[in-house]
Amino acid sequence: MAAVSPLLVTRDLTRRFGGLTAVDHVDFELPAGEIRAIIGPNGAGKTTFVSLVCGRIQPSSGQILFDGADITGLPAHERVKRGIAYTFQITSIFPNLTVFDNVALSVQRRLIDKGGRMTARDLEAGVAEALARVHLTDRVDMTAGKLAYGHQRLLEVAMGLALKPRLLILDEPTQGLSDAEIDSFIALVREIAREATVLLIEHNMPVVMALADRITVMSNGAPLAEGTPAEIRANAEVQQAYLGSTADV
Amino acid sequence: MRTDTTGRVVALHLAVIAVLVALLWILPDYHRGVMARVLVLSVFAMGYNLTFGYAGLLSLGHAMFFAAGLYGAGLAAYYPGWSVLPSFAFGIACGGVLALVVGFLALRTTGVAFMIVTMMFSQVFYLTTLYYTTWTRGEEGLVLGTDLRTVSLGAATLELWEPTTRYLVAVGLFSVVFLATMAIARAPFGRILIAIRENEERMRMLGYDVHRAKLKAMVLSGLFCAAAGAAYALLFGYVGSSFASIQYSILPLLWVLLGGAATTLGPLFGTVFMFYVVDVTSGYTSAWLLVVGVALILLVLFFPKGVFGTIRERWLKWLP
Amino acid sequence: MSFGPHLLLATLEGLVTSAVLALMALGLSLVFGVMRVVNVAHGEFFMLGAVLAWFFSTLVTGHPAIGFLLALVLSPLVVGAVALVSERLVLRRLNYDPEATIVATIGLLYIIQQLALTFYGPEARPVQAPFSIRIALPWFGYSGYKLFVIAASAAMMLATWFVLTRTRAGLVMRATQYDRETAQNFGIPVDRVYAGVFALGAMLAAVAAVLVVPISQAHYLMGLDPLLLSFIVVIIGGLGSLRGTVLAAVLIGVSDGVISVFFSPTLAKMIATLVVAMVLVFRPQGLFGTAPR
């Protein structure tokens, strides 16, 4: 047994939509510091699962523990304050505000929580730091909606980063990015992982294999297998259920 | 480094206030009277703008906050005979408390339901003023005598019914709320409100208690509107239930839309413009309802950002 | 009069109110259900229907029934045409954006009100009932026309129910309500459905108005109260639920009637409005309806 308790634990976590059980009695553990990828076919319940974790939707039953504390009943904004940040699958920024304002909203959230007076200088420094990490510094005064698509995804990540989360959930972050953008994205996530635990939903297998410490495969609302990239690659059951015969990974 | 616009923003707002003060010597008596009224009503519009413009909450019930200030101050002065300053403070407090209660309930809903709920609460307020006709004299209203509208500050006395004093007090109240709106719009809180209007779900996932922020905006808005109502009662000496009717929930919407929602200068411009349009057209026709109706439709069809919203979009991006 | 008959009278009066209210609320509910448009000018369509009813009834002489029937046919047609024109010129251009259409229909409200004031005047004018039979009850006589209003409204509701559930037009409307885009993909001319529904909603209000003018007079400010009451009915009844609308109209109408007889009408309205606001806050899907998708 590991000496430290995991950062995130779910017990028996279940969510039903009408007759459909999207997440089915999931027991899940994520140790601090890990990059974990969740993979699985469409409709496997990946997005529903992380939405339960970050509080966008409420579970039908089960329990969520973050850093040892039960957060099942907490509203989403309280969970963010405790250090869970979520970036949306469909880019969700403030298109009519400037890039600065988009990131400033995250920075001021963190500064307010820290207490004390928030100065304009602190705010600018926080924004500059987050934008530098995603290489968007020169676009600080642009209207966010006018950024190229790939840059909007990066802005979304910067908004998550600026919260300085302990757990960063990335929901299909590389969707729609070019190959070059994906490469720099992989480097970015590795850098993030030095300070935060990363939970990643991803379809792009090379990205998963390059980044993940461990992989959880979901199918029909429940984990099917879990292991290192090498183990998952070798797992016949996974080949069958998910990768099919075209196992080109 | 980003350009700091604070200097020019503050300069612009102070210049607007300076012009309003200067108008005291420029305007003929009649227009000075009109402008005193317009300034008080534009405080009402600025209060409305805070929720409708910045936070994106379409309320059709703000008449109740204006009327809460009007009746709070008016009744306190009329019956127990409170002096001006306590009456004014009481009026503002009434608006704040009402906004807190109404906001707490109504903000459980969004969009169309929010509009209907606020309209209904306001209608209940209006009916209440009619139901207690023995106290309020309903539509006919109460008239506050000049003795109730005199402030004595030590040796000095301020006669609020006297046109020059009245105009300057109106400018004073306007300036306070005007500068407060400017500060809010540029503060982190203003950014939060705008962001909630743009993408509420994202704000929740950035860790903001959206309901709480909206409630804060409602209470601030209620305080501003009530300050306008209380000032109206004490400056013009009339307290009537027509100010609680749905008409007075729609007018600030019109003023703000015309001047530009979520702009600090829009409410003033919209109120002045509509007041004079009605004033001028009433020389030719009594059809002021038609003017309001046509203006509303033309605005949403062809000019949804209003005057200052358009100016900001096209030319002056730094306008708060 | 003792308590029992008094209550019966209050209930009858309440049912008349319910009958008118149900028709009007149905129009509002259809427009909101299918188009997602809150028509704040709905009360003015009602008022316009009443004022036009007076106008048409004064065009002919002879038996009052002739004027009444003329009004019953022509007034809804004219109101429907006005609604159709406003839908084409304004609402469609706004792409049915919920908030913009609210502002626009407020504008429409003022325009119609002002035109009525200018051309009709500030007076309240009655329309003669088509017949004046009094039904003799053991305790009091009651207007036969009022009973006719209840029956006529019930017939109209049944007809609407039939159209909605048993005809092709109704199917098209329900499909559009359910899912606009899918309906469009199935070749339903959504655009024309919207125009038709908006006109139909206004016509229902006009019919209610023609029925009511022999009881209460036509006046240019008569639209606001029924508008608020219809909002109340639609909310309590749940959107898109015909059964809910009828039940809520009866509930609101009768309780309004009963409370008004025994207490002040202002107090009745205060209580009803407050209760409904609370229903909307704590049970947004209404008392009879199901949660919206």
Side-chain angles (χ1 to χ4, degrees):
Chain A
M1 283 297 286
V4 284
S5 66
L7 184 66
L8 176 73
V9 177
T10 73
R11 288 194 192 128
D12 232 13
L13 195 64
T14 303
R15 170 69 207 206
R16 296 183 197 89
F17 294 108
L20 176 83
T21 305
V23 171
D24 196 359
H25 300 281
V26 172
D27 293 316
F28 179 85
E29 288 195 0
L30 178 59
E34 197 175 295
I35 298 179
R36 173 73 62 92
I38 300 182
I39 62 171
N42 284 327
K46 306 181 299 284
T47 292
T48 309
F49 175 70
V50 294
S51 296
L52 289 169
V53 170
C54 69
R56 287 182 70 208
I57 52 178
Q58 290 300 310
S60 307
S61 64
Q63 208 182 16
I64 307 164
L65 302 171
F66 183 70
D67 199 19
D70 188 338
I71 59 163
T72 317
L74 287 185
H77 64 89
E78 289 291 343
R79 300 188 194 193
V80 179
K81 282 186 192 176
R82 286 178 182 229
I84 301 179
Y86 175 79
T87 68
F88 286 70
Q89 178 177 14
I90 296 155
T91 307
S92 181
I93 55 174
F94 303 97
N96 293 320
L97 305 188
T98 62
V99 170
F100 178 88
D101 280 339
N102 270 272
V103 182
L105 284 160
S106 296
V107 177
Q108 79 184 40
R109 162 80 276 150
R110 174 165 54 83
L111 293 176
I112 291 169
D113 289 343
K114 238 168 49 180
R117 254 191 80 74
M118 175 176 62
T119 66
R121 187 174 302 170
D122 289 346
L123 193 64
E124 298 216 355
V127 173
E129 186 198 332
L131 286 179
R133 289 181 77 176
V134 297
H135 308 292
L136 282 179
T137 308
D138 53 335
R139 288 178 172 74
V140 62
D141 281 328
M142 259 179 89
T143 304
K146 294 196 175 132
L147 291 174
Y149 179 78
H151 288 153
Q152 291 191 12
R153 298 276 341 165
L154 286 175
L155 175 60
E156 169 112 37
V157 174
M159 289 162 75
L161 276 182
L163 288 168
K164 302 237 160 129
R166 300 170 64 194
L167 171 63
L168 180 63
I169 301 174
L170 298 165
D171 196 349
E172 301 210 13
T174 64
Q175 202 176 46
L177 295 190
S178 69
D179 286 348
E181 283 169 334
I182 287 176
D183 287 342
S184 62
F185 184 82
I186 290 175
L188 175 64
V189 174
R190 284 209 180 104
E191 195 195 309
I192 294 169
R194 277 190 253 142
E195 292 154 23
T197 308
V198 176
L199 183 58
L200 175 76
I201 295 181
E202 186 55 75
H203 272 304
N204 185 327
M205 288 317 286
V207 173
V208 171
M209 293 302 168
L211 277 175
D213 297 320
R214 289 176 73 82
I215 297 174
T216 300
V217 185
M218 275 185 82
S219 175
N220 294 323
L224 181 73
E226 194 178 301
T228 62
E231 286 165 5
I232 293 300
R233 207 189 307 241
N235 188 318
E237 204 180 354
V238 174
Q239 300 274 346
Q240 188 75 27
Y242 177 50
L243 305 171
S245 50
T246 56
D248 57 351
V249 292
Chain B
M1 199 53 212
R2 306 174 62 246
T3 46
D4 188 7
T5 57
T6 310
R8 61 179 103 142
V9 168
V10 172
L12 173 69
H13 285 71
L14 292 178
V16 169
I17 293 171
V19 168
L20 289 174
V21 173
L23 283 177
L24 174 66
W25 291 281
I26 297 165
L27 287 178
D29 285 354
Y30 169 74
H31 288 285
R32 197 167 46 187
V34 172
M35 272 308 283
R37 205 173 291 259
V38 168
L39 284 175
V40 171
L41 290 176
S42 68
V43 169
F44 180 24
M46 285 191 283
Y48 187 79
N49 187 29
L50 198 60
T51 42
F52 171 69
Y54 290 102
L57 298 164
L58 174 53
S59 143
L60 282 185
H62 265 56
M64 72 181 132
F65 304 132
F66 184 83
L70 188 85
Y71 275 103
L75 294 179
Y78 195 85
Y79 288 105
W82 287 11
S83 59
V84 168
L85 289 179
S87 302
F88 184 65
F90 183 68
I92 295 179
C94 288
V97 171
L98 184 66
L100 183 69
V101 174
V102 168
F104 182 77
L105 293 169
L107 286 171
R108 291 173 56 102
T109 64
T110 54
V112 169
F114 178 78
M115 176 214 98
I116 294 176
V117 168
T118 48
M119 184 172 86
M120 285 184 161
F121 279 126
S122 188
Q123 188 68 11
V124 172
F125 190 103
Y126 172 62
L127 292 169
T128 309
T129 65
L130 293 182
Y131 185 68
Y132 291 101
T133 290
T134 40
W135 292 87
T136 64
R137 303 223 191 105
E139 301 277 356
E140 191 192 321
L142 303 169
V143 175
L144 306 182
T146 49
D147 54 319
L148 294 173
R149 298 194 275 135
T150 305
V151 195
S152 33
L153 299 162
T157 52
L158 219 57
E159 296 169 328
L160 295 184
W161 74 89
E162 192 273 319
T164 305
T165 314
R166 177 157 72 187
Y167 182 80
L168 285 176
V169 170
V171 171
L173 175 70
F174 172 85
S175 306
V176 170
V177 174
F178 186 54
L179 294 176
T181 310
M182 178 197 80
I184 293 169
R186 293 172 54 83
F189 181 59
R191 187 185 286 125
I192 292 174
L193 292 186
I194 294 171
I196 289 176
R197 179 190 75 202
E198 295 288 320
N199 191 344
E200 188 171 327
E201 170 73 354
R202 189 70 181 108
M203 278 305 270
R204 208 168 281 127
M205 296 316 297
L206 286 180
Y208 287 96
D209 188 339
V210 170
H211 182 263
R212 207 186 150 92
K214 286 184 186 172
L215 187 59
K216 253 164 102 177
M218 275 294 273
V219 171
L220 271 174
S221 167
L223 290 172
F224 288 174
C225 296
Y232 197 96
L234 296 167
L235 291 177
F236 302 99
Y238 171 73
V239 175
S241 57
S242 60
F243 285 109
S245 69
I246 187 156
Q247 204 93 285
Y248 274 85
S249 291
I250 292 169
L251 284 174
L253 168 69
L254 172 65
W255 297 331
V256 169
L257 269 179
L258 176 64
T263 65
T264 51
L265 294 163
L268 173 67
F269 180 87
T271 316
V272 172
F273 190 85
M274 271 323 289
F275 224 86
Y276 275 98
V277 164
V278 171
D279 201 52
V280 169
T281 51
S282 62
Y284 306 98
T285 158
S286 60
W288 74 275
L289 288 173
L290 191 69
V291 176
V292 171
V294 171
L296 280 171
I297 291 184
L298 292 181
L299 275 173
V300 283
L301 272 180
F302 303 111
F303 209 44
K305 290 197 155 75
V307 173
F308 281 93
T310 308
I311 290 177
R312 172 165 61 195
E313 191 178 59
R314 298 264 171 83
W315 301 288
L316 306 177
K317 295 218 184 308
W318 49 271
L319 278 183
Chain C
M1 219 175 347
S2 61
F3 180 77
H6 216 126
L7 187 66
L8 177 65
L9 179 63
T11 311
L12 278 174
E13 291 289 310
L15 278 176
V16 176
T17 311
S18 310
V20 176
L21 207 50
L23 280 180
M24 212 179 138
L26 181 63
L28 197 67
S29 171
L30 269 181
V31 169
F32 187 82
V34 175
M35 304 167 69
R36 299 276 133 192
V37 163
V38 177
N39 180 15
V40 185
H42 198 61
E44 303 317 305
F45 288 143
F46 176 77
M47 181 273 286
L48 195 60
V51 167
L52 286 171
W54 173 83
F55 173 73
F56 288 125
S57 71
T58 55
L59 289 182
V60 290
T61 50
H63 195 275
I66 303 172
F68 179 81
L69 284 175
L70 189 69
L72 192 59
V73 174
L74 290 183
S75 171
L77 284 179
V78 175
V79 172
V82 170
L84 197 66
V85 170
S86 7
E87 200 274 345
R88 292 287 91 171
L89 287 184
V90 182
L91 299 188
R92 187 164 67 134
R93 285 165 187 248
L94 293 173
N95 209 11
Y96 309 104
D97 174 80
E99 301 206 333
T101 50
I102 287 173
V103 177
T105 53
I106 291 173
L108 205 56
L109 174 158
Y110 280 135
I111 293 173
I112 297 175
Q113 219 172 65
Q114 182 67 61
L115 292 178
L117 178 62
T118 306
F119 293 104
Y120 173 81
E123 303 85 7
R125 297 193 177 95
V127 172
Q128 222 184 330
F131 54 87
S132 53
I133 302 165
R134 282 190 86 73
I135 312 276
L137 297 175
W139 314 276
F140 53 83
Y142 198 70
S143 155
Y145 177 73
K146 287 186 177 176
L147 296 177
F148 164 76
V149 168
I150 299 174
S153 166
M156 281 292 294
M157 299 296 287
L158 272 177
T160 314
W161 173 80
F162 183 82
V163 169
L164 279 179
T165 57
R166 296 282 186 275
T167 66
R168 207 187 120 65
L171 180 69
V172 164
M173 263 157 62
R174 278 183 296 138
T176 311
Q177 166 165 12
Y178 191 70
D179 187 338
R180 178 185 176 175
E181 273 174 27
T182 312
Q184 198 138 31
N185 293 342
F186 275 95
I188 291 175
V190 168
D191 193 49
R192 269 189 283 161
V193 173
Y194 277 21
V197 165
F198 197 72
L200 181 64
M203 287 168 81
L204 282 168
V207 171
V210 177
L211 288 176
V212 92
V213 273
I215 302 171
S216 64
Q217 309 178 335
H219 183 255
Y220 84 105
L221 287 177
M222 71 192 288
L224 184 62
D225 279 351
L227 173 71
L228 290 174
L229 283 176
S230 320
F231 272 142
I232 293 178
V233 166
V234 171
I235 290 162
I236 299 254
L239 282 164
S241 158
L242 191 65
R243 188 180 57 112
T245 304
V246 175
L247 286 174
V250 172
L251 182 74
I252 294 293
V254 172
S255 51
D256 188 67
V258 171
I259 300 173
S260 301
V261 166
F262 293 102
F263 304 95
S264 105
T266 312
L267 186 64
K269 267 188 237 156
M270 270 163 68
I271 295 172
T273 313
L274 195 61
V275 167
V276 168
M278 291 302 180
V279 168
L280 196 52
V281 167
F282 291 103
R283 217 189 124 79
Q285 70 273 35
L287 294 180
F288 302 106
T290 47
R293 291 183 306 125

